[in-house]
Amino acid sequence: MEKINIVCPHCFKINAIPKKDSYAKANCGSCKNSLLDTDPIELDESNFDHVIVNSDIPVIVDFWAPWCGPCKMMAPIFNDVAKKYPLKALFVKVNTEALPNMGTRFGIRSIPTLVVYKNGVEKQRVSGALDPLRLSNLVNESL
Protein backbone atom coordinates (compact mmCIF):
# COMPACT_ATOMS: atom_id res chain seq x y z
CA MET A 1 0.00 0.00 0.00
CA GLU A 2 1.24 3.46 -0.90
CA LYS A 3 2.23 5.67 2.05
CA ILE A 4 2.28 9.44 2.47
CA ASN A 5 4.29 11.55 4.89
CA ILE A 6 2.22 13.70 7.20
CA VAL A 7 3.72 16.20 9.64
CA CYS A 8 1.93 16.04 12.99
CA PRO A 9 0.25 19.40 13.70
CA HIS A 10 0.97 18.94 17.42
CA CYS A 11 4.60 17.75 17.72
CA PHE A 12 5.84 18.21 14.10
CA LYS A 13 7.09 14.60 13.86
CA ILE A 14 6.84 12.95 10.43
CA ASN A 15 4.34 10.09 10.15
CA ALA A 16 4.18 7.68 7.21
CA ILE A 17 0.56 6.63 6.88
CA PRO A 18 -1.30 4.58 4.26
CA LYS A 19 -2.75 6.76 1.49
CA LYS A 20 -6.56 6.52 1.56
CA ASP A 21 -9.52 8.48 0.22
CA SER A 22 -10.72 9.12 3.78
CA TYR A 23 -9.67 8.35 7.33
CA ALA A 24 -11.78 7.40 10.35
CA LYS A 25 -8.78 7.58 12.67
CA ALA A 26 -5.11 8.49 12.36
CA ASN A 27 -2.87 9.25 15.32
CA CYS A 28 0.72 10.45 15.53
CA GLY A 29 3.14 7.65 16.29
CA SER A 30 5.08 9.96 18.59
CA CYS A 31 2.67 12.17 20.59
CA LYS A 32 -0.47 10.03 19.92
CA ASN A 33 -2.59 13.11 19.09
CA SER A 34 -4.94 12.96 16.10
CA LEU A 35 -3.48 13.69 12.67
CA LEU A 36 -7.05 14.51 11.61
CA ASP A 37 -6.91 17.83 13.50
CA THR A 38 -7.66 20.50 10.90
CA ASP A 39 -7.04 23.64 12.96
CA PRO A 40 -4.46 25.78 11.13
CA ILE A 41 -1.09 25.70 12.86
CA GLU A 42 1.20 28.65 13.48
CA LEU A 43 4.66 28.25 11.97
CA ASP A 44 7.86 30.20 12.54
CA GLU A 45 11.49 30.17 11.39
CA SER A 46 12.26 27.07 13.46
CA ASN A 47 9.66 24.77 11.87
CA PHE A 48 8.52 26.28 8.54
CA ASP A 49 11.01 24.50 6.26
CA HIS A 50 10.57 21.20 8.15
CA VAL A 51 6.81 21.24 7.59
CA ILE A 52 6.97 22.36 3.93
CA VAL A 53 9.66 19.87 2.89
CA ASN A 54 8.28 16.85 4.78
CA SER A 55 4.57 17.13 3.85
CA ASP A 56 3.41 14.94 0.99
CA ILE A 57 0.08 16.77 1.04
CA PRO A 58 -0.23 20.39 -0.14
CA VAL A 59 0.54 23.03 2.47
CA ILE A 60 -1.59 26.18 2.31
CA VAL A 61 0.23 29.07 4.02
CA ASP A 62 -1.60 32.20 5.15
CA PHE A 63 0.86 35.08 5.60
CA TRP A 64 -1.06 37.53 7.80
CA ALA A 65 -0.76 40.17 10.55
CA PRO A 66 -3.04 40.92 13.52
CA TRP A 67 -3.59 44.58 12.50
CA CYS A 68 -4.77 43.66 8.98
CA GLY A 69 -8.53 44.04 8.42
CA PRO A 70 -8.76 41.68 5.41
CA CYS A 71 -6.67 39.13 7.37
CA LYS A 72 -9.15 39.25 10.26
CA MET A 73 -12.02 38.89 7.78
CA MET A 74 -10.44 35.87 6.12
CA ALA A 75 -9.30 34.03 9.30
CA PRO A 76 -12.64 32.30 9.99
CA ILE A 77 -12.96 31.40 6.30
CA PHE A 78 -9.46 29.88 6.35
CA ASN A 79 -10.37 27.88 9.50
CA ASP A 80 -13.70 26.67 8.06
CA VAL A 81 -12.26 25.59 4.71
CA ALA A 82 -9.42 23.76 6.51
CA LYS A 83 -12.01 21.50 8.16
CA LYS A 84 -12.94 20.09 4.73
CA TYR A 85 -9.44 18.71 4.04
CA PRO A 86 -8.27 16.41 6.87
CA LEU A 87 -5.09 14.67 5.68
CA LYS A 88 -5.65 16.10 2.18
CA ALA A 89 -4.08 19.55 2.76
CA LEU A 90 -2.33 21.17 5.71
CA PHE A 91 -3.35 24.73 6.59
CA VAL A 92 -0.73 26.88 8.33
CA LYS A 93 -0.35 30.53 9.29
CA VAL A 94 2.68 32.82 9.50
CA ASN A 95 2.32 36.07 11.46
CA THR A 96 4.41 38.55 9.46
CA GLU A 97 4.11 41.16 12.23
CA ALA A 98 5.80 38.87 14.77
CA LEU A 99 8.09 37.32 12.13
CA PRO A 100 9.11 40.11 9.71
CA ASN A 101 12.06 38.05 8.45
CA MET A 102 9.62 35.42 7.16
CA GLY A 103 7.72 38.05 5.18
CA THR A 104 10.97 39.35 3.71
CA ARG A 105 12.29 35.85 2.96
CA PHE A 106 9.19 34.93 0.96
CA GLY A 107 8.72 38.30 -0.73
CA ILE A 108 5.39 39.05 0.91
CA ARG A 109 4.40 42.51 -0.34
CA SER A 110 0.78 42.58 0.82
CA ILE A 111 -1.32 40.61 3.26
CA PRO A 112 -3.10 38.38 3.39
CA THR A 113 -1.07 36.37 0.92
CA LEU A 114 -1.75 32.68 0.46
CA VAL A 115 1.00 30.44 -0.86
CA VAL A 116 0.45 26.83 -1.87
CA TYR A 117 3.39 24.45 -1.52
CA LYS A 118 3.45 20.95 -2.93
CA ASN A 119 6.40 18.58 -2.56
CA GLY A 120 8.36 21.42 -0.96
CA VAL A 121 7.93 23.77 -3.94
CA GLU A 122 5.79 26.90 -4.23
CA LYS A 123 3.04 26.17 -6.76
CA GLN A 124 0.72 29.16 -6.46
CA ARG A 125 0.44 32.53 -4.74
CA VAL A 126 -2.63 34.73 -4.27
CA SER A 127 -2.77 38.10 -2.49
CA GLY A 128 -5.93 39.44 -0.90
CA ALA A 129 -8.76 37.92 1.08
CA LEU A 130 -10.60 35.02 -0.55
CA ASP A 131 -14.19 33.92 -0.07
CA PRO A 132 -14.85 30.25 0.84
CA LEU A 133 -15.45 29.18 -2.78
CA ARG A 134 -12.27 30.79 -4.14
CA LEU A 135 -10.21 29.36 -1.25
CA SER A 136 -11.68 25.88 -1.79
CA ASN A 137 -10.94 26.13 -5.52
CA LEU A 138 -7.33 27.12 -4.74
CA VAL A 139 -6.95 24.06 -2.52
CA ASN A 140 -8.69 21.70 -4.95
CA GLU A 141 -6.35 22.80 -7.76
CA SER A 142 -3.40 21.60 -5.68
CA LEU A 143 -4.79 18.16 -4.73
PDB file of all heavy atoms in Angstrom, residues 97-123:
ATOM      1  N   GLU A  97       3.829  40.099  11.255  1.00  0.00           N
ATOM      2  CA  GLU A  97       4.109  41.164  12.228  1.00  0.00           C
ATOM      3  C   GLU A  97       5.126  40.666  13.251  1.00  0.00           C
ATOM      4  O   GLU A  97       6.107  41.339  13.554  1.00  0.00           O
ATOM      5  CB  GLU A  97       2.814  41.591  12.928  1.00  0.00           C
ATOM      6  CG  GLU A  97       2.999  42.619  14.017  1.00  0.00           C
ATOM      7  CD  GLU A  97       3.169  44.031  13.474  1.00  0.00           C
ATOM      8  OE1 GLU A  97       3.044  44.243  12.261  1.00  0.00           O
ATOM      9  OE2 GLU A  97       3.447  44.916  14.301  1.00  0.00           O
ATOM     10  N   ALA A  98       4.896  39.469  13.777  1.00  0.00           N
ATOM     11  CA  ALA A  98       5.797  38.872  14.766  1.00  0.00           C
ATOM     12  C   ALA A  98       7.066  38.323  14.115  1.00  0.00           C
ATOM     13  O   ALA A  98       8.100  38.212  14.777  1.00  0.00           O
ATOM     14  CB  ALA A  98       5.081  37.760  15.531  1.00  0.00           C
ATOM     15  N   LEU A  99       6.975  37.957  12.835  1.00  0.00           N
ATOM     16  CA  LEU A  99       8.089  37.320  12.128  1.00  0.00           C
ATOM     17  C   LEU A  99       8.398  38.070  10.836  1.00  0.00           C
ATOM     18  O   LEU A  99       8.231  37.537   9.736  1.00  0.00           O
ATOM     19  CB  LEU A  99       7.745  35.858  11.815  1.00  0.00           C
ATOM     20  CG  LEU A  99       7.341  34.989  13.014  1.00  0.00           C
ATOM     21  CD1 LEU A  99       6.670  33.722  12.560  1.00  0.00           C
ATOM     22  CD2 LEU A  99       8.566  34.696  13.867  1.00  0.00           C
ATOM     23  N   PRO A 100       8.877  39.330  10.935  1.00  0.00           N
ATOM     24  CA  PRO A 100       9.113  40.114   9.709  1.00  0.00           C
ATOM     25  C   PRO A 100      10.135  39.479   8.772  1.00  0.00           C
ATOM     26  O   PRO A 100      10.050  39.662   7.548  1.00  0.00           O
ATOM     27  CB  PRO A 100       9.591  41.469  10.235  1.00  0.00           C
ATOM     28  CG  PRO A 100      10.048  41.227  11.633  1.00  0.00           C
ATOM     29  CD  PRO A 100       9.242  40.068  12.145  1.00  0.00           C
ATOM     30  N   ASN A 101      11.072  38.712   9.310  1.00  0.00           N
ATOM     31  CA  ASN A 101      12.061  38.048   8.453  1.00  0.00           C
ATOM     32  C   ASN A 101      11.405  37.018   7.531  1.00  0.00           C
ATOM     33  O   ASN A 101      11.867  36.805   6.413  1.00  0.00           O
ATOM     34  CB  ASN A 101      13.151  37.374   9.284  1.00  0.00           C
ATOM     35  CG  ASN A 101      14.054  38.371   9.968  1.00  0.00           C
ATOM     36  OD1 ASN A 101      14.112  39.551   9.599  1.00  0.00           O
ATOM     37  ND2 ASN A 101      14.755  37.918  10.997  1.00  0.00           N
ATOM     38  N   MET A 102      10.327  36.400   8.001  1.00  0.00           N
ATOM     39  CA  MET A 102       9.620  35.416   7.163  1.00  0.00           C
ATOM     40  C   MET A 102       8.950  36.136   5.984  1.00  0.00           C
ATOM     41  O   MET A 102       8.976  35.646   4.863  1.00  0.00           O
ATOM     42  CB  MET A 102       8.571  34.657   7.989  1.00  0.00           C
ATOM     43  CG  MET A 102       9.152  33.780   9.083  1.00  0.00           C
ATOM     44  SD  MET A 102       9.895  32.263   8.471  1.00  0.00           S
ATOM     45  CE  MET A 102       8.461  31.333   8.023  1.00  0.00           C
ATOM     46  N   GLY A 103       8.337  37.278   6.263  1.00  0.00           N
ATOM     47  CA  GLY A 103       7.722  38.050   5.183  1.00  0.00           C
ATOM     48  C   GLY A 103       8.744  38.474   4.145  1.00  0.00           C
ATOM     49  O   GLY A 103       8.506  38.375   2.938  1.00  0.00           O
ATOM     50  N   THR A 104       9.897  38.932   4.616  1.00  0.00           N
ATOM     51  CA  THR A 104      10.968  39.346   3.712  1.00  0.00           C
ATOM     52  C   THR A 104      11.495  38.155   2.912  1.00  0.00           C
ATOM     53  O   THR A 104      11.652  38.236   1.690  1.00  0.00           O
ATOM     54  CB  THR A 104      12.115  39.998   4.508  1.00  0.00           C
ATOM     55  OG1 THR A 104      11.593  41.118   5.221  1.00  0.00           O
ATOM     56  CG2 THR A 104      13.234  40.432   3.602  1.00  0.00           C
ATOM     57  N   ARG A 105      11.738  37.045   3.595  1.00  0.00           N
ATOM     58  CA  ARG A 105      12.291  35.847   2.958  1.00  0.00           C
ATOM     59  C   ARG A 105      11.419  35.369   1.798  1.00  0.00           C
ATOM     60  O   ARG A 105      11.924  34.934   0.764  1.00  0.00           O
ATOM     61  CB  ARG A 105      12.437  34.735   4.001  1.00  0.00           C
ATOM     62  CG  ARG A 105      12.896  33.420   3.434  1.00  0.00           C
ATOM     63  CD  ARG A 105      12.991  32.348   4.495  1.00  0.00           C
ATOM     64  NE  ARG A 105      13.142  31.062   3.872  1.00  0.00           N
ATOM     65  CZ  ARG A 105      12.964  29.903   4.483  1.00  0.00           C
ATOM     66  NH1 ARG A 105      12.649  29.873   5.757  1.00  0.00           N
ATOM     67  NH2 ARG A 105      13.108  28.780   3.831  1.00  0.00           N
ATOM     68  N   PHE A 106      10.104  35.455   1.978  1.00  0.00           N
ATOM     69  CA  PHE A 106       9.192  34.931   0.962  1.00  0.00           C
ATOM     70  C   PHE A 106       8.598  36.017   0.072  1.00  0.00           C
ATOM     71  O   PHE A 106       7.688  35.756  -0.705  1.00  0.00           O
ATOM     72  CB  PHE A 106       8.095  34.089   1.620  1.00  0.00           C
ATOM     73  CG  PHE A 106       8.657  32.846   2.253  1.00  0.00           C
ATOM     74  CD1 PHE A 106       8.865  32.779   3.619  1.00  0.00           C
ATOM     75  CD2 PHE A 106       9.036  31.774   1.460  1.00  0.00           C
ATOM     76  CE1 PHE A 106       9.412  31.647   4.202  1.00  0.00           C
ATOM     77  CE2 PHE A 106       9.587  30.638   2.032  1.00  0.00           C
ATOM     78  CZ  PHE A 106       9.784  30.574   3.400  1.00  0.00           C
ATOM     79  N   GLY A 107       9.140  37.222   0.163  1.00  0.00           N
ATOM     80  CA  GLY A 107       8.723  38.296  -0.729  1.00  0.00           C
ATOM     81  C   GLY A 107       7.267  38.686  -0.571  1.00  0.00           C
ATOM     82  O   GLY A 107       6.596  38.990  -1.555  1.00  0.00           O
ATOM     83  N   ILE A 108       6.783  38.685   0.655  1.00  0.00           N
ATOM     84  CA  ILE A 108       5.394  39.052   0.912  1.00  0.00           C
ATOM     85  C   ILE A 108       5.285  40.569   0.857  1.00  0.00           C
ATOM     86  O   ILE A 108       5.871  41.279   1.666  1.00  0.00           O
ATOM     87  CB  ILE A 108       4.921  38.508   2.285  1.00  0.00           C
ATOM     88  CG1 ILE A 108       5.116  36.987   2.363  1.00  0.00           C
ATOM     89  CG2 ILE A 108       3.477  38.915   2.548  1.00  0.00           C
ATOM     90  CD1 ILE A 108       4.428  36.190   1.283  1.00  0.00           C
ATOM     91  N   ARG A 109       4.541  41.077  -0.115  1.00  0.00           N
ATOM     92  CA  ARG A 109       4.404  42.515  -0.335  1.00  0.00           C
ATOM     93  C   ARG A 109       3.077  43.055   0.185  1.00  0.00           C
ATOM     94  O   ARG A 109       2.944  44.238   0.440  1.00  0.00           O
ATOM     95  CB  ARG A 109       4.508  42.833  -1.828  1.00  0.00           C
ATOM     96  CG  ARG A 109       5.797  42.387  -2.449  1.00  0.00           C
ATOM     97  CD  ARG A 109       6.927  43.366  -2.165  1.00  0.00           C
ATOM     98  NE  ARG A 109       8.156  42.931  -2.799  1.00  0.00           N
ATOM     99  CZ  ARG A 109       9.195  42.459  -2.136  1.00  0.00           C
ATOM    100  NH1 ARG A 109       9.172  42.375  -0.840  1.00  0.00           N
ATOM    101  NH2 ARG A 109      10.281  42.096  -2.778  1.00  0.00           N
ATOM    102  N   SER A 110       2.070  42.185   0.268  1.00  0.00           N
ATOM    103  CA  SER A 110       0.778  42.581   0.820  1.00  0.00           C
ATOM    104  C   SER A 110       0.206  41.386   1.564  1.00  0.00           C
ATOM    105  O   SER A 110       0.586  40.241   1.313  1.00  0.00           O
ATOM    106  CB  SER A 110      -0.172  43.026  -0.289  1.00  0.00           C
ATOM    107  OG  SER A 110      -0.459  41.949  -1.158  1.00  0.00           O
ATOM    108  N   ILE A 111      -0.697  41.685   2.496  1.00  0.00           N
ATOM    109  CA  ILE A 111      -1.317  40.612   3.260  1.00  0.00           C
ATOM    110  C   ILE A 111      -2.826  40.817   3.246  1.00  0.00           C
ATOM    111  O   ILE A 111      -3.282  41.960   3.096  1.00  0.00           O
ATOM    112  CB  ILE A 111      -0.774  40.546   4.710  1.00  0.00           C
ATOM    113  CG1 ILE A 111      -0.859  41.910   5.374  1.00  0.00           C
ATOM    114  CG2 ILE A 111       0.613  39.987   4.752  1.00  0.00           C
ATOM    115  CD1 ILE A 111      -0.488  41.908   6.827  1.00  0.00           C
ATOM    116  N   PRO A 112      -3.590  39.751   3.339  1.00  0.00           N
ATOM    117  CA  PRO A 112      -3.099  38.381   3.393  1.00  0.00           C
ATOM    118  C   PRO A 112      -2.558  37.925   2.034  1.00  0.00           C
ATOM    119  O   PRO A 112      -3.035  38.358   0.993  1.00  0.00           O
ATOM    120  CB  PRO A 112      -4.346  37.575   3.758  1.00  0.00           C
ATOM    121  CG  PRO A 112      -5.487  38.389   3.239  1.00  0.00           C
ATOM    122  CD  PRO A 112      -5.054  39.820   3.363  1.00  0.00           C
ATOM    123  N   THR A 113      -1.564  37.065   2.108  1.00  0.00           N
ATOM    124  CA  THR A 113      -1.067  36.375   0.921  1.00  0.00           C
ATOM    125  C   THR A 113      -1.108  34.885   1.225  1.00  0.00           C
ATOM    126  O   THR A 113      -0.609  34.446   2.266  1.00  0.00           O
ATOM    127  CB  THR A 113       0.372  36.801   0.564  1.00  0.00           C
ATOM    128  OG1 THR A 113       0.353  38.161   0.125  1.00  0.00           O
ATOM    129  CG2 THR A 113       0.955  35.943  -0.542  1.00  0.00           C
ATOM    130  N   LEU A 114      -1.706  34.130   0.329  1.00  0.00           N
ATOM    131  CA  LEU A 114      -1.754  32.676   0.459  1.00  0.00           C
ATOM    132  C   LEU A 114      -0.768  32.075  -0.528  1.00  0.00           C
ATOM    133  O   LEU A 114      -0.740  32.460  -1.691  1.00  0.00           O
ATOM    134  CB  LEU A 114      -3.155  32.146   0.159  1.00  0.00           C
ATOM    135  CG  LEU A 114      -4.257  32.612   1.087  1.00  0.00           C
ATOM    136  CD1 LEU A 114      -5.595  32.075   0.620  1.00  0.00           C
ATOM    137  CD2 LEU A 114      -3.982  32.174   2.504  1.00  0.00           C
ATOM    138  N   VAL A 115       0.030  31.141  -0.022  1.00  0.00           N
ATOM    139  CA  VAL A 115       1.003  30.441  -0.858  1.00  0.00           C
ATOM    140  C   VAL A 115       0.744  28.949  -0.720  1.00  0.00           C
ATOM    141  O   VAL A 115       0.619  28.437   0.397  1.00  0.00           O
ATOM    142  CB  VAL A 115       2.452  30.784  -0.461  1.00  0.00           C
ATOM    143  CG1 VAL A 115       3.434  30.054  -1.366  1.00  0.00           C
ATOM    144  CG2 VAL A 115       2.691  32.284  -0.507  1.00  0.00           C
ATOM    145  N   VAL A 116       0.658  28.268  -1.851  1.00  0.00           N
ATOM    146  CA  VAL A 116       0.447  26.828  -1.870  1.00  0.00           C
ATOM    147  C   VAL A 116       1.779  26.157  -2.189  1.00  0.00           C
ATOM    148  O   VAL A 116       2.410  26.467  -3.206  1.00  0.00           O
ATOM    149  CB  VAL A 116      -0.600  26.424  -2.927  1.00  0.00           C
ATOM    150  CG1 VAL A 116      -0.778  24.911  -2.964  1.00  0.00           C
ATOM    151  CG2 VAL A 116      -1.920  27.135  -2.678  1.00  0.00           C
ATOM    152  N   TYR A 117       2.189  25.246  -1.307  1.00  0.00           N
ATOM    153  CA  TYR A 117       3.394  24.447  -1.515  1.00  0.00           C
ATOM    154  C   TYR A 117       2.993  23.001  -1.742  1.00  0.00           C
ATOM    155  O   TYR A 117       2.092  22.481  -1.083  1.00  0.00           O
ATOM    156  CB  TYR A 117       4.312  24.502  -0.288  1.00  0.00           C
ATOM    157  CG  TYR A 117       4.966  25.838  -0.087  1.00  0.00           C
ATOM    158  CD1 TYR A 117       4.351  26.828   0.686  1.00  0.00           C
ATOM    159  CD2 TYR A 117       6.191  26.128  -0.662  1.00  0.00           C
ATOM    160  CE1 TYR A 117       4.949  28.064   0.878  1.00  0.00           C
ATOM    161  CE2 TYR A 117       6.788  27.370  -0.482  1.00  0.00           C
ATOM    162  CZ  TYR A 117       6.167  28.322   0.287  1.00  0.00           C
ATOM    163  OH  TYR A 117       6.750  29.549   0.467  1.00  0.00           O
ATOM    164  N   LYS A 118       3.655  22.373  -2.694  1.00  0.00           N
ATOM    165  CA  LYS A 118       3.450  20.947  -2.929  1.00  0.00           C
ATOM    166  C   LYS A 118       4.818  20.327  -3.184  1.00  0.00           C
ATOM    167  O   LYS A 118       5.591  20.847  -3.986  1.00  0.00           O
ATOM    168  CB  LYS A 118       2.516  20.726  -4.113  1.00  0.00           C
ATOM    169  CG  LYS A 118       2.053  19.293  -4.220  1.00  0.00           C
ATOM    170  CD  LYS A 118       0.797  19.174  -5.048  1.00  0.00           C
ATOM    171  CE  LYS A 118       0.341  17.735  -5.001  1.00  0.00           C
ATOM    172  NZ  LYS A 118      -0.841  17.537  -5.802  1.00  0.00           N
ATOM    173  N   ASN A 119       5.101  19.256  -2.470  1.00  0.00           N
ATOM    174  CA  ASN A 119       6.397  18.584  -2.562  1.00  0.00           C
ATOM    175  C   ASN A 119       7.545  19.564  -2.303  1.00  0.00           C
ATOM    176  O   ASN A 119       8.581  19.509  -2.952  1.00  0.00           O
ATOM    177  CB  ASN A 119       6.565  17.896  -3.913  1.00  0.00           C
ATOM    178  CG  ASN A 119       5.485  16.861  -4.161  1.00  0.00           C
ATOM    179  OD1 ASN A 119       5.129  16.101  -3.260  1.00  0.00           O
ATOM    180  ND2 ASN A 119       4.950  16.831  -5.355  1.00  0.00           N
ATOM    181  N   GLY A 120       7.320  20.481  -1.363  1.00  0.00           N
ATOM    182  CA  GLY A 120       8.358  21.421  -0.961  1.00  0.00           C
ATOM    183  C   GLY A 120       8.569  22.600  -1.888  1.00  0.00           C
ATOM    184  O   GLY A 120       9.456  23.409  -1.674  1.00  0.00           O
ATOM    185  N   VAL A 121       7.751  22.727  -2.936  1.00  0.00           N
ATOM    186  CA  VAL A 121       7.934  23.770  -3.939  1.00  0.00           C
ATOM    187  C   VAL A 121       6.691  24.664  -3.982  1.00  0.00           C
ATOM    188  O   VAL A 121       5.563  24.164  -3.959  1.00  0.00           O
ATOM    189  CB  VAL A 121       8.167  23.137  -5.330  1.00  0.00           C
ATOM    190  CG1 VAL A 121       8.274  24.194  -6.416  1.00  0.00           C
ATOM    191  CG2 VAL A 121       9.397  22.244  -5.312  1.00  0.00           C
ATOM    192  N   GLU A 122       6.917  25.980  -4.083  1.00  0.00           N
ATOM    193  CA  GLU A 122       5.792  26.899  -4.227  1.00  0.00           C
ATOM    194  C   GLU A 122       5.118  26.651  -5.571  1.00  0.00           C
ATOM    195  O   GLU A 122       5.762  26.688  -6.609  1.00  0.00           O
ATOM    196  CB  GLU A 122       6.261  28.350  -4.139  1.00  0.00           C
ATOM    197  CG  GLU A 122       5.132  29.342  -4.270  1.00  0.00           C
ATOM    198  CD  GLU A 122       5.552  30.799  -4.145  1.00  0.00           C
ATOM    199  OE1 GLU A 122       6.523  31.106  -3.412  1.00  0.00           O
ATOM    200  OE2 GLU A 122       4.902  31.637  -4.795  1.00  0.00           O
ATOM    201  N   LYS A 123       3.806  26.446  -5.543  1.00  0.00           N
ATOM    202  CA  LYS A 123       3.039  26.168  -6.759  1.00  0.00           C
ATOM    203  C   LYS A 123       2.135  27.322  -7.146  1.00  0.00           C
ATOM    204  O   LYS A 123       1.854  27.516  -8.327  1.00  0.00           O
ATOM    205  CB  LYS A 123       2.189  24.902  -6.575  1.00  0.00           C
ATOM    206  CG  LYS A 123       3.005  23.641  -6.437  1.00  0.00           C
ATOM    207  CD  LYS A 123       3.772  23.369  -7.690  1.00  0.00           C
ATOM    208  CE  LYS A 123       4.515  22.052  -7.614  1.00  0.00           C
ATOM    209  NZ  LYS A 123       5.300  21.796  -8.805  1.00  0.00           N
TER     210      LYS A 123
END
